[in-house]
Each structure stands twice: as structure tokens, then as C-alpha cells.
Amino acid sequence: MTRGYGTGDEYGTPRNPSQYDDRTRELPADQQQDPYGRQQFAAGRATPPGTTAPPVNAARLWSGGVATAIVAALIGLVGVLIARALPKVEFLGPLASGPLGSGQTAVLCLLAAAAALAATGLAHLLLLSTPRPLAYFGWIVGLCTVVAVILPFLGTSDLGVKLASAIIYLVIGIAIGSLVTGAAVSATGGRAASR
């Protein structure tokens, strides 16, 4: 009887499966392929094409936004304390009004918290509607921060007050931008960072 081409076996001779290197048995279950060549997806590792996953975990995003609002308000408070204590700048009230200044300090802290919540709302809207949400979010927050830093220099107050205001607004803007971006990435399971 003739031998098979390149096999060393005669036609019709059953082959021993142990002779072959079956590499699919060595692969983890999430990397094996079905008979049609489609990759099997493990839960949480990858999203199969054609399926939709919830785009945003709103509870995670907004809990991060509330935490950011608290941080922003505290940055405003600490900034006022530093501006009034170290260089003796009459920031938000005369020095005789105490370390916290006038009632404008509370207004600054509330505005910083409101800005953080507004940024969270903006991030949520962009995550649901735009192709590269974090790029747009970064530009919007960055430009708003630049405006807030420039505005004190357009007034007639003392140079020390202008510098203190600009520095405090800059730190608040950086904190809001970075913390809300982190909350958005976490709320989308990292998908927002790759879009």
C-alpha cells in the first residue's frame, strides 16, 4: 500500500492524537477559540464586538464629584488661611476680621464646590454624547481655569490680593480637572481614557 504524502503513515491508518502538539489545550479559557475562530471573551476582560455595555456608572461618577466638591471647598479655605496668615495679604477682608476674613470666604468655598459639581455634570454629559469625552473635558476645564486666573488681574485691588486669588483659583481648577477626570475614568471602567 502507498504511504501518505509527508505523513509516514499509510492511508486509512488511525493516528494517535498524542503525537500532535495541541497548543489550544495550553491556552487559558478566555483565549481559546471556538470551532469558527471567534475569540471567547471572559467576563470583565473584554467586550465582544456588537455588544453594548453601560457607558457610565453614574453613582461612582457622582460620588467622585461630591468628593471633589469637598476637596475644592477645602482648597479655597486653606488658600484663604495661607494668604491671610503668611504674607499678611488682606484677602477677602481686612486683617482685623480674623484668619478667615469676611463672609466672602464662605462664598469662595461654596463657589468652588459648585464648580466641582458643575464639572461632574459636564463630564457626565460628555461621556454620554461625545467621541473623546476626556479630551473635550480637559480643554473646557483648562480654559475656564485660565479665565478664572486672569480675572483678578483685571480689577483694581492690591497686587498681593490679585496674586493670591489667581493662585487659589489655579489650584482649585487643577484639582477639579484631575479629580473629576479620575472619577470619569473609574466610572467607565477605564474605557473613557481609551476613547
Side-chain angles (χ1 to χ4, degrees), residues 7-107:
T7 64
D9 295 328
E10 293 183 355
Y11 287 118
T13 303
R15 297 178 181 178
N16 185 358
S18 64
Q19 295 175 347
Y20 301 100
D21 184 14
D22 189 359
R23 296 183 186 276
T24 58
R25 282 185 270 184
E26 299 173 8
L27 292 175
D30 63 334
Q31 296 179 6
Q32 292 184 5
Q33 296 187 347
D34 67 8
Y36 301 102
R38 296 173 300 197
Q39 183 178 359
Q40 301 298 313
F41 291 88
R45 283 252 183 122
T47 304
T51 62
T52 56
V56 181
N57 183 339
R60 183 178 289 270
L61 175 64
W62 281 96
S63 62
V66 170
T68 303
I70 295 171
V71 170
L74 290 174
I75 290 173
L77 178 63
V78 170
V80 170
L81 289 173
I82 292 174
R84 293 179 62 81
L86 296 181
K88 301 297 182 184
V89 175
E90 292 188 344
F91 182 65
L92 299 182
L95 292 176
S97 60
L100 294 178
S102 62
Q104 292 179 344
T105 301
V107 173

Side-chain angles (χ1 to χ4, degrees), residues 126 130-142 181 192 195:
L126 292 174
T130 58
R132 295 182 60 205
L134 296 185
Y136 290 107
F137 179 77
W139 273 98
I140 293 170
V141 171
T181 297
R195 285 165 60 184

